[in-house]
Amino acid sequence: MKIGIIGATGYGGAELVRIFKQHPHVEECILYSSSGDGQLYSQSYPHLTTITDQTLKAIDPAAIVRETDAVFLATPAGVSSELTPKLMNQGVPIIDLSGDLRIQDGATYEAWYKRRAADQSSVQQAVYGLSELNRETIEKAEVIANPGCFPTAVLLGLAPLMKQNLIDESMIIIDAKTGVSGAGRSASLGTHFSELNDNFKIYKVNEHQHTPEIEQILREWNPQTANITFSTHLVPMTRGIMATMYTQLKSDITKEELMKHMKGFYEDSYFVRVRDHEVYPQTREVYGSNFCDIGFHLDERTGRLTIVSVIDNLMKGAAGQAVQNFNIIKGLDEEAGLTMTPLYP
């Protein structure tokens, strides 16, 4: 198959290229860029010299649909909402890595993203691509709204308990940390080396745009879910997310029963690995991979539960999950092209 990647010069686009280079069912990646049209891709990423030396092509929706078997939109917010309607309903799956198609309510999107919402026909057609939780719907989809990086880590950690009504839906606190690549490739003061190095800071306090995405899915699982408290922090590392969730159990359950339930929930999900009780994952242990590792601690004294979920934000939080969704849509082995071992140390 031939794969189109729009926004190939960003980090998400580069990760898609890396994955598809080893994908057994993909012959070629055709790379599109609004800023680098006509340039060699290796000018943007010299480490790909002699590996991926294609010339970047202009974004022409009609040509893209003719040339490709699937299209990935690795674009900033606001771009997909313009391009998706021009690509839809032509028999080519579209997988959008931006947030444009995730939020069902247009007013909510505009309030949190501070930009105009996508056309509702695009949003309504898009399937939320949380691979492990939505496989059957993804299989039949033409348009995928790939989940955000923070929501992927948070939702995979909470799903086994929320979907079985085991935790108090009125009290969910999420404390999340991310590496700097989550901010994208464009330079800014907040990601400047001298500002970030030897530093640790909270940002977008109670205002992160992934908040309504998390709440939307939690309410699909349990309509009684209250507004969450969601804090995000930037740490001086390149890749990785750690989401720590604090909540309260609704009924008495032992740590052994909880571990059995958590592991059983993901027993058919290769990319989600649940640790034993009090064995906590680290971001380094999923670096460069499509794994989500989950640990937990049940405080039997208070009845409170702490869940720790780690992912690589560019892989399971973006390009890796996008390829996993592509595999599901195309009826391929879900692990195709994604079985790379985490880089350690």
Side-chain angles (χ1 to χ4, degrees):
M1 288 181 280
K2 294 184 178 181
I3 303 302
I5 301 173
I6 301 175
T9 57
Y11 289 143
E15 281 293 87
L16 287 169
V17 170
R18 181 173 76 93
I19 295 167
F20 281 126
K21 271 295 176 181
Q22 57 186 2
H23 197 291
H25 302 284
V26 171
E27 174 189 2
E28 180 184 359
C29 287
I30 305 173
L31 310 180
Y32 305 92
S33 172
S34 60
S35 60
D37 174 26
Q39 297 179 6
L40 285 176
Y41 191 54
S42 55
Q43 288 179 252
S44 294
Y45 290 106
H47 71 289
L48 295 175
T49 301
T50 73
I51 299 172
T52 303
D53 274 331
Q54 294 109 306
T55 299
L56 293 165
K57 302 182 71 171
I59 299 172
D60 178 350
I64 291 170
V65 170
R66 289 195 305 269
E67 294 169 343
T68 65
D69 298 292
V71 179
F72 290 77
L73 289 158
T75 54
V79 177
S80 172
S81 60
E82 298 295 327
L83 285 176
T84 299
K86 301 173 185 178
L87 298 167
M88 283 170 47
N89 303 318
Q90 300 190 60
V92 177
I94 301 160
I95 301 174
D96 177 27
L97 279 69
S98 79
D100 284 6
L101 307 180
R102 298 174 195 154
I103 307 301
Q104 293 293 309
D105 180 70
T108 300
Y109 175 90
E110 291 176 359
W112 287 87
Y113 279 81
K114 312 301 182 189
R115 64 179 67 246
R116 191 178 69 177
D119 180 81
Q120 276 300 295
S121 64
S122 303
V123 175
Q124 293 302 318
Q125 190 166 332
V127 169
Y128 191 68
L130 191 61
S131 304
E132 283 74 19
L133 278 297
N134 211 11
R135 286 188 182 97
E136 292 183 5
T137 311
I138 293 168
E139 286 175 356
K140 305 168 187 174
E142 182 182 349
V143 181
I144 295 290
N146 214 57
C149 50
F150 283 125
T152 295
V154 169
L155 294 169
L156 289 175
L158 290 174
L161 306 169
M162 284 293 292
K163 291 179 75 68
Q164 295 297 320
N165 199 29
L166 294 176
I167 56 176
D168 183 355
E169 64 276 3
S170 69
M171 201 284 284
I172 298 174
I173 299 172
I174 303 161
D175 178 46
K177 287 90 174 173
T178 183
V180 70
S181 61
R185 202 178 187 199
S186 298
S188 70
L189 180 63
T191 58
H192 193 288
F193 178 81
S194 57
E195 298 284 336
L196 183 64
N197 187 48
D198 290 331
N199 196 17
F200 180 43
K201 66 179 182 180
I202 192 168
Y203 70 103
K204 293 185 179 179
V205 180
N206 297 320
E207 295 180 347
H208 198 284
Q209 68 272 19
H210 287 171
T211 302
E213 180 181 341
I214 296 169
E215 291 178 344
Q216 176 178 278
I217 302 303
L218 291 179
R219 286 175 182 143
E220 288 181 7
W221 298 341
N222 185 338
Q224 303 305 312
T225 302
N227 292 341
I228 61 172
T229 296
F230 179 44
S231 301
T232 52
H233 305 77
L234 193 61
V235 298
M237 62 185 185
T238 302
R239 293 172 180 252
I241 281 177
M242 175 178 284
T244 306
M245 286 76 75
Y246 306 96
T247 188
Q248 187 91 24
L249 289 169
K250 282 187 170 180
S251 58
D252 291 337
I253 183 172
T254 67
K255 60 187 179 183
E256 291 79 15
E257 291 170 333
L258 185 59
M259 184 171 68
K260 183 178 180 181
H261 173 73
M262 295 280 285
K263 290 191 172 187
F265 188 87
Y266 287 119
E267 62 183 351
D268 296 322
S269 298
Y270 175 77
F271 291 115
V272 181
R273 306 184 294 188
V274 178
R275 305 292 177 85
D276 290 342
H277 185 252
E278 296 185 7
V279 179
Y280 308 111
Q282 305 172 47
T283 58
R284 174 64 73 181
E285 294 163 351
V286 296
Y287 194 99
S289 80
N290 197 49
F291 288 107
C292 173
D293 286 7
I294 300 171
F296 65 96
H297 180 270
L298 174 59
D299 186 344
E300 294 176 328
R301 183 179 65 89
T302 63
R304 296 192 186 101
L305 179 65
T306 301
I307 304 165
V308 182
S309 178
V310 299
I311 62 170
D312 182 316
N313 57 291
L314 294 178
M315 284 293 293
K316 187 61 170 169
Q321 185 158 223
V323 174
Q324 190 177 351
N325 287 326
F326 162 79
N327 289 338
I328 294 170
I329 290 172
K330 292 294 186 179
L332 306 173
D333 182 346
E334 198 168 317
E335 302 161 26
L338 293 168
T339 56
M340 59 280 285
T341 301
L343 297 171
Y344 196 95

